[in-house]
């Protein structure tokens, strides 16, 4: 553990699930289902939207498709990838069907509330480990699902003192087989860090997009497109994230505002060269 962040080992443990249920076949759930199936795992695709199920079936995202969360009872691993506000009730419904020894995780981008809720009142023998694959795009739903989104990206696990070590080990192995990097964090620390590197960038992207005049967009190049891409993500998703992680996002926003103020002062004093990062500093960053 360095600085509170633990990057788990690079070799997958021997245990690996034979069957996985993915509940919610949207952008992330669909991408995970496609990659799991490519790894030889039998995938049960669960979604309550008939159109999503049909599109997922057309893409071959699972071996079995159903709208019944009870089908999670046939899986060794269950991944709940539904919208943030639905994770706790859907995960509890899945857990009631799960067999003893099975592992439950989620893909929510805010962890403290979810982990606190799902670390209690689950059926005996069902092991929950909070999860967050740090992957995605501005595209939406199963149509945007792409296993390549996962390549090399962090997949954060947020175990607590009461989490079964064997569940963490199994998930670590799955993450590595998915082509991602397992990272272990405390749930509260997770929320603080992702506020800075995920939630704040969305708000900055929205602000930058709104700050550009219409005639400026006509001459915009790739830099503007890259920096405003995330602003085209589903607003409802981000509204839920902002509600759930409000305090951490406000702290991240305050830090960003301080940096903007520093840049403004330097620009007004014709000293912006003094605050811009040196080439060596940029190259040294991970």
């Amino acid at each position: 553990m360095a600085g509170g962040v633990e990057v788990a080992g690079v070799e997958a443990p021997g245990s690996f699930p034979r069957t996985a249920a993915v509940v919610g076949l949207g952008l992330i759930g669909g991408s995970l289902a496609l990659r799991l199936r490519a790894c030889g795992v039998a995938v049960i695709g669960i979604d309550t939207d008939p159109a999503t199920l049909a599109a997922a079936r057309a893409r071959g995202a699972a071996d079995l498709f159903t709208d019944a969360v009870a089908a999670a009872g046939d899986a060794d691993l269950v991944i709940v990838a539904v919208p943030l506000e639905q994770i706790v009730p859907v995960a509890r419904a899945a857990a009631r069907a799960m067999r003893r020894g099975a592992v439950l995780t989620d893909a929510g981008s805010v962890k403290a509330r979810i982990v606190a809720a799902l670390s209690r009142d689950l059926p005996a023998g069902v092991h929950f480990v909070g999860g967050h694959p740090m992957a995605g795009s501005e595209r939406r739903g199963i149509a945007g699902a792409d296993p390549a989104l996962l390549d090399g990206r962090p997949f954060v696990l947020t175990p607590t003192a009461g989490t079964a070590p064997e569940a963490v080990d199994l998930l670590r192995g799955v993450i590595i087989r998915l082509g991602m990097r397992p990272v272990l964090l405390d749930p509260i620390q997770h929320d603080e860090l992702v506020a800075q590197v995920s939630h704040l960038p969305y708000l900055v992207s929205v602000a930058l997009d709104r700050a550009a005049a219409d005639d400026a967009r006509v001459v915009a190049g790739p830099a503007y497109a890259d920096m405003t891409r995330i602003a085209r993500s589903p607003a409802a998703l981000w509204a839920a994230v902002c509600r759930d992680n409000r305090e951490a996002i406000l702290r991240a926003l305050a830090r960003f505002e301080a940096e903007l103020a520093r840049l403004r002062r330097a620009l007004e004093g014709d000293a912006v060269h003094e605050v811009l990062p040196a080439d060596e500093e940029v190259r040294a960053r991970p």
Side-chain angles (χ1 to χ4, degrees), residues 7 11 41-42 68 78 123 150 167 206 258 262 275:
V7 180
E11 294 186 3
V41 178
V78 177
L150 311 178
V206 169
R262 187 164 74 106
V275 296

Side-chain angles (χ1 to χ4, degrees), residues 148-176:
L149 293 175
L150 311 178
D151 292 343
R153 304 304 305 164
F155 193 127
V156 181
L157 297 176
T158 56
T160 66
T163 303
E166 61 269 26
V168 178
D169 287 343
L170 181 135
L171 280 171
R172 183 169 64 86
V174 169
I175 290 165
I176 293 168

Side-chain angles (χ1 to χ4, degrees), residues 24-31 34 47 49 52 55-56 59 137-146 149 234 237:
L25 296 173
L27 177 72
I28 296 302
S31 299
L34 286 162
D47 201 289
D49 179 36
T52 296
R59 295 200 58 185
S137 78
E138 74 281 9
R139 299 188 67 190
R140 306 179 184 211
I142 186 66
D146 182 356
L149 293 175
L237 179 156

Side-chain angles (χ1 to χ4, degrees), residues 28-276:
I28 296 302
S31 299
L32 290 168
L34 286 162
R35 179 58 60 82
L36 282 165
R37 198 162 185 240
C39 291
V41 178
V43 176
I44 303 166
I46 303 172
D47 201 289
T48 57
D49 179 36
T52 296
L53 284 176
R57 183 178 289 108
R59 295 200 58 185
D63 299 274
L64 172 69
F65 298 89
T66 179
D67 61 358
V69 74
D74 295 325
D76 304 311
L77 169 66
V78 177
I79 303 173
V80 176
V82 298
L84 191 63
E85 64 273 17
Q86 298 175 23
I87 287 176
V88 171
V90 170
R92 282 180 170 156
R96 286 194 292 270
M98 290 169 64
R99 57 190 177 220
R100 192 176 188 88
V103 174
L104 172 67
T105 190
D106 73 297
S109 60
V110 185
K111 293 266 70 78
R113 176 186 62 82
I114 290 170
V115 171
L118 294 178
S119 293
R120 61 180 187 270
D121 300 331
L122 289 184
V126 172
H127 305 305
F128 171 71
V129 186
H132 180 198
M134 296 292 293
S137 78
E138 74 281 9
R139 299 188 67 190
R140 306 179 184 211
I142 186 66
D146 182 356
L149 293 175
L150 311 178
D151 292 343
R153 304 304 305 164
F155 193 127
V156 181
L157 297 176
T158 56
T160 66
T163 303
E166 61 269 26
V168 178
D169 287 343
L170 181 135
L171 280 171
R172 183 169 64 86
V174 169
I175 290 165
I176 293 168
R177 288 279 291 275
L178 289 172
M180 303 184 77
R181 296 185 290 111
V183 178
L184 305 186
L185 288 174
D186 171 82
I188 294 175
Q189 185 188 22
H190 164 278
D191 292 354
E192 197 71 30
L193 297 182
V194 298
Q196 298 170 39
V197 299
S198 178
H199 307 163
L200 174 65
Y202 169 73
L203 295 177
V204 171
S205 179
V206 169
L208 181 62
D209 198 31
R210 288 179 173 170
D214 288 342
D215 51 354
R217 298 171 195 270
V218 177
V219 297
Y224 177 81
D226 288 346
M227 294 184 69
T228 57
R229 174 188 59 81
I230 192 174
R232 289 151 179 76
S233 301
L237 179 156
W238 284 106
V241 168
C242 290
R243 285 193 299 268
D244 223 352
N245 204 27
R246 177 175 175 270
E247 295 304 322
I249 294 171
L250 284 171
R251 286 189 288 272
L253 191 58
R255 292 176 61 175
F256 182 70
E257 289 169 338
E259 286 300 319
L260 281 180
R262 187 164 74 106
L263 288 170
R264 173 181 282 277
R265 289 193 299 271
L267 190 59
E268 290 171 342
D270 195 22
V272 72
H273 61 282
E274 297 178 2
V275 296
L276 295 179

